[in-house]
Structures are given as C-alpha cells and as structure tokens.
C-alpha cells in the first residue's frame, strides 16, 4: 500500500511477460489472432471469482457520448459524433449475445498489451478491463490499436485468419468487427473524457477530442459504410 497526498493506492508487482512487443508483421498478427481465439475458447467454462461487468451499448456508446460532448469544440463535430452513435445503436442492439461469440473477453486486447517470444508464442497481460461481451470486440480492439502504428489490410486480414484457425467466426461475427472498431474508438474517447487531466501525454492536448471525432468519422464512413456520419 502506497500513501500519497491524494489517498492510498495498492501496488502489485508482477513478473515480466516473456518476449517483446509485437511488430507490424503479418505473421505476428496471425499469432495474435490465434492467441485471442485460444483465450476465448479457454474462457468458455470460466467461472469468475469476482464480479465481471458487461460491455454493451451503454458502456460503449451512451456513457461515453455524455462525457465527450462537452469537450468537442464545434457544432459540426458534435453532430458527427451524435450521428455516429445514432447509427451504431441498432447495429450493436442486433448483435447476438448467445453462443460462443459472447463471453469473457480480455477487453483491451491491442498489441501493446501482448508480447511474442522467439517461438511465436503470445503472452497477454493487462487484464484490468476484462468483461463479458462480444468476442469480436477483442479483434476490433486489436485492429483499432494499429491505427497510426503501421496498421494495414495485410495485418488485419492476418489477425482474423489466425483467429479463424482456432475458433472460426460465423458471417455475422465477421461483419460485426468493423462496427465494433467504431464503438471501441468511442469508448476510448469516453475513457479520456472521464479521466481528463490525470494522464500526462503529449497527444492529450486541447485538440485531442476534435481530432478523435474526425477519426471516428473516417472509421464510420470508410470501414462501416455509414456515409452520413
């Protein structure tokens, strides 16, 4: 337990994850996809010791929207954000929460939270966002995490192919990924709106929310086919 002027905090020390962070390499992202599928399959019969929250429309869209709106500087961008949420609501509501496509997920499965060793084995860490949700949300997060970090169609295709080698996705699951990328981005903006001022990063500047809403527009139009966002 560490005490500071703002309160007491628990400190936990872990051993280092084996290997190194993934590179923008199709073979490594294929392994990442297979590793995610193995986690999902292994968690089918997992019974949590502590309560695990659910990740649905409220957590991905509604709460973030409330937090973000006041931080977006222009009416056109606020309108774009509202239209994106409006278009994504029925999509998320229509996704099935039955069967193996729904269950315990990592919740923050971008490649920065994984290591790969020389044999190609993947180690996942940072499970603090573990949730009950759509398993394809983890794939969407892995794709989203490559934006601006070397992401391209070859990597994304390799990720999904790797996943399919362990737990084949049905057509609806595969179609859901693009919409969950947009939902992940909205969730991420909401996270920073809720914690604004707590984390010191150069990119968390006065233009952060405007830039992030502009990127959301590109995701919705170019990936999701939502032309009016």
């Amino acid at each position: 337990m560490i005490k500071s002027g703002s309160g007491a905090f628990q400190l936990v020390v872990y051993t280092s994850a084996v290997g190194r962070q993934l590179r923008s390499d199709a073979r490594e992202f294929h392994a990442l996809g297979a590793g995610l599928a193995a986690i999902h399959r292994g968690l089918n019969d997992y019974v949590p010791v502590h309560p695990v929250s659910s990740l649905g429309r409220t957590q991905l869209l509604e709460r973030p929207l409330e937090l973000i709106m006041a931080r977006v500087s222009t009416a056109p961008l606020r309108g774009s954000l509202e239209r994106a949420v409006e278009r994504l609501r029925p999509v998320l509501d229509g996704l099935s929460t039955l069967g193996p496509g729904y269950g315990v997920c990592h919740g923050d499965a971008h490649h920065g939270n994984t290591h790969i060793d020389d044999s190609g084995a993947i180690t996942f860490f940072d499970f603090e966002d573990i949730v009950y949700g759509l398993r394809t949300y983890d794939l969407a997060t892995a794709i989203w995490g490559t934006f601006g970090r070397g992401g391209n169609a070859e990597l994304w295709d390799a990720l999904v192919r790797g996943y399919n080698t362990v737990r084949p996705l049905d057509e609806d699951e595969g179609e859901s990924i693009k919409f969950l990328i947009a939902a992940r981005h909205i969730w991420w903006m909401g996270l920073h709106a809720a914690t604004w001022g707590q984390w010191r990063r150069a990119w968390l500047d006065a233009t952060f929310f405007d830039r992030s809403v502009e990127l959301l527009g590109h995701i919705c139009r170019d990936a999701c086919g939502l032309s009016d966002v």
Side-chain angles (χ1 to χ4, degrees), residues 52-150:
V52 175
S53 61
S54 296
L55 188 69
R57 192 185 84 180
T58 298
Q59 295 78 18
L60 290 171
L61 301 181
E62 309 301 350
R63 290 177 186 166
L65 177 64
E66 294 176 4
L67 294 165
I68 301 163
M69 285 295 285
R71 297 190 177 276
V72 179
S73 68
T74 70
L77 286 175
R78 288 192 292 272
S80 177
L81 174 60
E82 288 180 314
R83 287 192 299 275
V85 170
E86 181 179 355
R87 295 297 304 277
L88 289 168
R89 280 184 186 122
V91 176
L92 266 60
D93 287 345
L95 297 176
S96 175
T97 57
L98 302 175
Y102 185 90
V104 180
C105 304
H106 182 287
D108 197 21
H110 58 78
H111 67 284
N113 284 336
T114 60
H115 277 179
I116 189 169
D117 67 16
D118 291 339
S119 72
I122 295 286
T123 299
F124 292 89
F125 47 88
D126 194 5
F127 282 84
E128 65 186 61
D129 290 320
I130 191 169
V131 289
Y132 279 108
L134 296 160
R135 262 66 189 271
T136 47
Y137 178 77
D138 278 348
L139 286 170
T141 298
I143 293 172
W144 168 89
T146 68
F147 292 170
R149 297 181 178 89

Side-chain angles (χ1 to χ4, degrees), residues 55 59-61 64-65 68 80-81 84-85 88 92 107-108 137 140-149 177-193 203 207-220 224 229:
L55 188 69
Q59 295 78 18
L60 290 171
L61 301 181
L65 177 64
I68 301 163
S80 177
L81 174 60
V85 170
L88 289 168
L92 266 60
D108 197 21
Y137 178 77
T141 298
I143 293 172
W144 168 89
T146 68
F147 292 170
R149 297 181 178 89
I177 295 172
K178 60 188 180 185
F179 298 106
L180 290 171
I181 293 171
R184 164 69 186 195
H185 191 64
I186 294 170
W187 175 90
W188 181 69
M189 286 190 286
L191 171 68
H192 286 295
W203 43 269
T207 67
F208 168 77
F209 290 101
D210 288 0
R211 289 185 286 107
S212 297
V213 173
E214 288 173 353
L215 176 56
L216 174 65
H218 288 296
I219 294 170
C220 288
C224 302
V229 173

